[in-house]
Amino acid sequence: MFQASPKERMTDTAESVDLPLVYVSRKESFSASHRLHSKCLSDEENEELYGKCNNPNGHGHNYTVEVILKGPVDPVTGMVINLVQLKEHMKESIMDVLDHKNIDLDVLYFNDKVSTAENIAIFIWEQIDCRLETGLLYEVKLHETDKNTVCYRGDRS
């Protein structure tokens, strides 16, 4: 017997029912090392700009990443997304790729990008967005330290 997917059910129902939009988030923590160093700058300019974060041997952080989704609540399942599914997407796209890695050396994306928190948040967005239903990803929030946080919502200038 054919059974409609949650997306198909919502599409059919959305025409006749005003579905509530809900924000759903999940956090994970990972440890990684990196060095703030731009290939576009001289060694002296890098040292002046990035200070101790330009240490040639790198330095590490215990990052916390929060993935926030925004979507309609499926009238049948009562969910925006099954959190087990979100957990698996985050494992594959964030944890397996970044946890206990040297971001500059182990992640190809950073061959030509400085591994700032801003660029790591953009990377995480790109990694997880392609695994989700279009438009579901709302924000990636990356806590590099207790005091430094970056938020990215997929915006471009």
Side-chain angles (χ1 to χ4, degrees):
M1 172 192 268
F2 174 77
Q3 194 171 16
S5 72
K7 182 179 178 183
E8 291 167 330
R9 285 193 304 270
M10 284 193 302
T11 303
D12 293 340
T13 310
E15 295 172 10
S16 59
V17 177
D18 190 21
L19 297 174
L21 291 176
V22 173
Y23 296 83
V24 175
S25 68
R26 179 169 174 83
K27 288 182 183 180
E28 292 288 349
S29 296
F30 64 93
S31 298
S33 64
H34 70 141
R35 176 187 186 203
L36 295 183
H37 188 86
S38 173
K39 294 176 184 175
C40 299
L41 301 173
S42 69
D43 288 344
E44 293 78 20
E45 291 169 316
N46 273 292
E47 188 174 339
E48 183 179 328
L49 178 63
Y50 299 120
K52 66 181 182 179
C53 296
N54 182 245
N55 179 345
N57 295 318
H59 65 282
H61 294 282
N62 293 315
Y63 294 93
T64 299
V65 60
E66 186 174 357
V67 173
I68 303 159
L69 310 180
K70 176 185 177 185
V73 175
D74 183 299
V76 175
T77 67
M79 297 185 285
V80 172
I81 189 172
N82 186 324
L83 289 176
V84 172
Q85 196 178 21
L86 179 56
K87 178 182 177 181
E88 184 60 29
H89 291 321
M90 290 177 72
K91 178 190 176 305
E92 293 170 357
S93 59
I94 301 169
M95 303 306 291
D96 291 350
V97 179
L98 295 171
D99 191 30
H100 286 84
K101 300 288 174 41
N102 180 314
I103 293 171
D104 303 312
L105 302 177
D106 297 329
V107 183
L108 185 61
Y109 181 89
F110 291 98
N111 279 352
D112 63 347
K113 292 177 184 62
V114 180
S115 56
T116 59
E118 294 91 334
N119 280 332
I120 296 169
I122 294 166
F123 171 75
I124 291 171
W125 175 283
E126 292 174 0
Q127 288 290 299
I128 200 157
D129 187 46
C130 64
R131 298 172 186 270
L132 298 169
E133 186 179 311
T134 303
L136 191 58
L137 183 56
Y138 176 74
E139 182 176 78
V140 168
K141 188 178 289 187
L142 182 69
H143 302 268
E144 185 176 56
T145 68
D146 289 340
K147 296 180 180 182
N148 299 338
T149 302
V150 171
C151 299
Y152 182 62
R153 293 185 177 161
D155 298 329
R156 299 276 178 182
S157 60

